[in-house]
Amino acid sequence: MTRTQVAIVGAGPAGLTLGRLLESAGIESVILEARSRAYCEARIRAGVLEQGTVDLLRDAGVGERIDREGLVHHGISLQFDGERHRIPLSDLTGGRSIVVYGQTEVVKDLIAARLESGLPLLFEAEGVSIHDLEAGRPRIRYRHEGAEHELECDVIAGCDGFHGCCRASIPPGVLREFSREYPYGWLGILAEVAPSIDELVYARHERGFALLSLRSPTLSRYYLQCAPDENLDEWPDDRIWEELQLRTGVAGWTLVEGPIVEKGVTGMRSYVCEPMRHGRLFLAGDAAHIVPPTGAKGLNLALHDVRVLAEALIRFNERGDETLLDAYSTECLRRVWRCEHFSWWMTTMLHLPPGADPFELRLQSAQLRYVTTSPAQARALAENYVGLEAV
Ligand code: FAD
Ligand code: DHB
């Protein structure tokens, strides 16, 4: 049996950042991760960081490489009816911007910082189970390197993603759950070719949505709307490029093709559980909420949660004052629901609806035209996309 102040389950962006923020405040933590370090560092996911997210990572002492290698973007484009319309994010938001920097790199930076500090981060922790949540001293049991362990703590931070064990260990009837499944998914590729765009392009097309993004001056990240259970075997590289060409083509611009080095399919859902706490267990990030990726909000929301949680834990540690811990869920859920709405709105505005319902298609066109012609509507999109300061 060992003891710590905060037991963190999951070494994704949420768990690792929380560990780092607690470390700066002198609060002990142990991070338990089911997967290997190599797996965590290779999982390709998000790419767009809000300015507030970058500021938080800088405060946590892991901003150095982001500042060096991250690509600052001041606009995005919406494409429909064969034309691109730029949304000048910075002009519309008093100079705010986004940074394109892969989640894989954020995770690598955070893992390196934790290991350099010599603090406990246990990869391949198996059979993690949660006990005595309603008591003052919750416990976690797990297996590591063939031995059974028990960890006693003051608080458990459930940062173990959507399929983790923390939310699942809350007794039935405690949480209210809200969700929506979408009848489409994304086929994402990483290609070793200079991006053909300087800024992200979100394209609505009658063959389905496409997104042009990037990771670096030599790596392109592109996505295609597909079925939620799309079979990748049916997507040889040639077919992917052909489809990207069809959906993103505009006059006077060329999509340059190159070797595809990674392919994957992700389903899309919206999900929120309320409250984000049960007894001494606090859920953060994807463990408590999921957004469809179209608004680029998931990682940013996860880091907002842990910023609020870290502040609450610091207050609790310094003064034994639980006021901020009690306010944690309500405080986070305000931003969660704002981002749920924005992500749902971006998703339904840009994806081909099932059966290509003609009424919905006309509504999408009307909305896209409005957003790209009305400064008020464009500003609404921009301020959500770069991240609202107050919600
Ligand atoms: P996760 O990253 O899921 O981390 C949870 C960790 O817990 C994992 O390492 C997992 O292995 C571990 N774990 C799970 N179960 C257990 C267990 N039982 N015991 C111990 N450990 C466990 N977000 C954005 O903000 N911008 C984007 O541009 C964006 N694009 C995306 C594109 C795609 C294709 C996808 C799939 C997601 C995208 N997201 C984006 C969402 C973003 O990736 C997630 O919201 C983010 O990873 C959430 O971080 P997290 O730490 O909460 O959870
Ligand atoms: C990326 C992912 C997103 O979900 C998004 O909205 C924009 C960019 C990306 O992986 O680059």
Side-chain angles (χ1 to χ4, degrees):
M1 160 95 89
T2 45
R3 242 206 76 73
T4 190
Q5 288 177 285
V6 181
I8 301 173
V9 185
L16 289 163
T17 305
L18 179 64
R20 194 73 191 157
L21 296 171
L22 297 180
E23 179 188 345
S24 328
I27 299 175
E28 274 176 29
S29 67
V30 172
I31 305 182
L32 301 174
E33 165 59 49
R35 303 287 193 153
S36 68
R37 178 179 182 182
Y39 183 93
C40 292
E41 291 188 342
R43 200 165 27 196
I44 300 179
R45 283 169 144 192
V48 174
L49 308 182
E50 294 172 4
Q51 201 166 300
T53 299
V54 175
D55 292 342
L56 179 68
L57 291 166
R58 275 196 207 113
D59 290 347
V62 288
E64 190 256 334
R65 197 157 68 96
I66 299 177
D67 286 335
R68 209 162 7 101
E69 296 176 17
L71 306 166
V72 179
H73 282 201
H74 299 285
I76 57 169
S77 288
L78 298 181
Q79 177 175 330
F80 57 99
D81 298 340
E83 280 178 18
R84 279 189 196 157
H85 305 260
R86 183 169 189 266
I87 308 285
L89 297 174
S90 300
D91 293 348
L92 292 165
T93 58
R96 292 170 74 79
S97 54
I98 51 156
V99 175
V100 177
Y101 187 76
Q103 180 169 334
T104 42
E105 306 312 301
V106 172
V107 167
K108 281 183 206 163
D109 295 346
L110 286 162
I111 290 177
R114 175 99 185 164
L115 296 179
E116 202 179 298
S117 301
L119 296 177
L121 163 53
L122 279 60
F123 290 104
E124 297 174 83
E126 295 168 46
V128 173
S129 64
I130 311 267
H131 307 271
D132 297 340
L133 273 186
E134 285 102 355
R137 290 250 178 283
R139 284 170 304 117
I140 297 190
R141 294 208 191 104
Y142 62 98
R143 275 188 308 284
H144 190 242
E145 294 176 344
E148 301 284 337
H149 297 268
E150 196 165 292
L151 177 64
E152 197 188 66
C153 55
D154 299 326
V155 161
I156 298 175
C159 302
D160 50 347
F162 187 66
H163 300 287
C165 63
C166 288
R167 192 180 72 250
S169 62
I170 297 176
V174 171
L175 298 179
R176 270 193 86 184
E177 300 183 284
F178 305 83
S179 66
R180 171 125 338 158
E181 300 273 335
Y182 297 84
Y184 29 76
W186 278 12
L187 190 167
I189 62 156
L190 194 65
E192 277 177 351
V193 58
S196 300
I197 36 99
D198 298 324
E199 293 178 340
L200 274 64
V201 177
Y202 289 81
R204 181 263 215 166
H205 191 273
E206 57 268 25
R207 298 180 66 86
F209 170 76
L211 168 60
L212 303 174
S213 181
L214 64 159
R215 282 294 176 272
S216 76
T218 54
L219 273 180
S220 302
R221 178 79 173 144
Y222 299 149
Y223 296 96
L224 287 168
Q225 177 184 346
C226 62
D229 54 353
E230 193 77 40
N231 180 2
L232 268 181
D233 295 342
E234 289 169 21
W235 286 89
D237 295 5
D238 286 354
R239 182 175 173 207
I240 293 176
W241 286 118
E242 194 184 324
E243 198 60 37
L244 281 167
Q245 297 284 5
L246 285 170
R247 295 189 196 180
T248 65
V250 280
W253 172 83
T254 314
L255 175 68
V256 183
E257 303 179 7
I260 295 179
V261 292
E262 208 269 346
K263 277 185 216 178
V265 172
T266 350
M268 287 168 89
R269 63 153 62 88
S270 300
Y271 172 89
V272 181
C273 76
E274 292 182 359
M276 291 168 55
R277 165 196 193 167
H278 179 59
R280 292 280 168 154
L281 168 64
F282 294 82
L283 301 173
D286 280 15
H289 42 75
I290 295 286
V291 286
T294 326
K297 286 288 161 246
L299 170 61
N300 294 295
L301 260 188
L303 291 206
H304 178 263
D305 288 351
V306 296
R307 193 181 84 197
V308 177
L309 184 55
E311 279 165 13
L313 289 168
I314 292 167
R315 170 81 71 97
F316 175 55
N317 184 55
E318 281 171 359
R319 311 188 205 161
D321 173 356
E322 298 197 28
T323 324
L324 294 184
L325 283 177
D326 291 342
Y328 168 74
S329 177
T330 309
E331 164 83 17
C332 289
L333 284 168
R334 271 204 304 274
R335 179 170 294 262
V336 167
W337 277 110
R338 174 87 299 280
C339 292
E340 288 290 343
H341 181 271
F342 178 66
S343 305
W344 164 85
W345 177 70
M346 287 284 282
T347 300
T348 50
M349 177 170 70
L350 286 159
H351 288 72
L352 185 69
D357 175 358
F359 181 76
E360 256 187 74
L361 289 174
R362 287 289 194 281
L363 290 181
Q364 285 184 332
S365 297
Q367 187 61 31
L368 281 162
R369 190 137 317 272
Y370 191 24
V371 168
T372 50
T373 50
S374 151
Q377 282 288 305
R379 178 167 293 116
L381 187 152
E383 67 177 8
N384 278 276
Y385 197 83
V386 301
L388 288 161
E389 282 180 83
V391 178

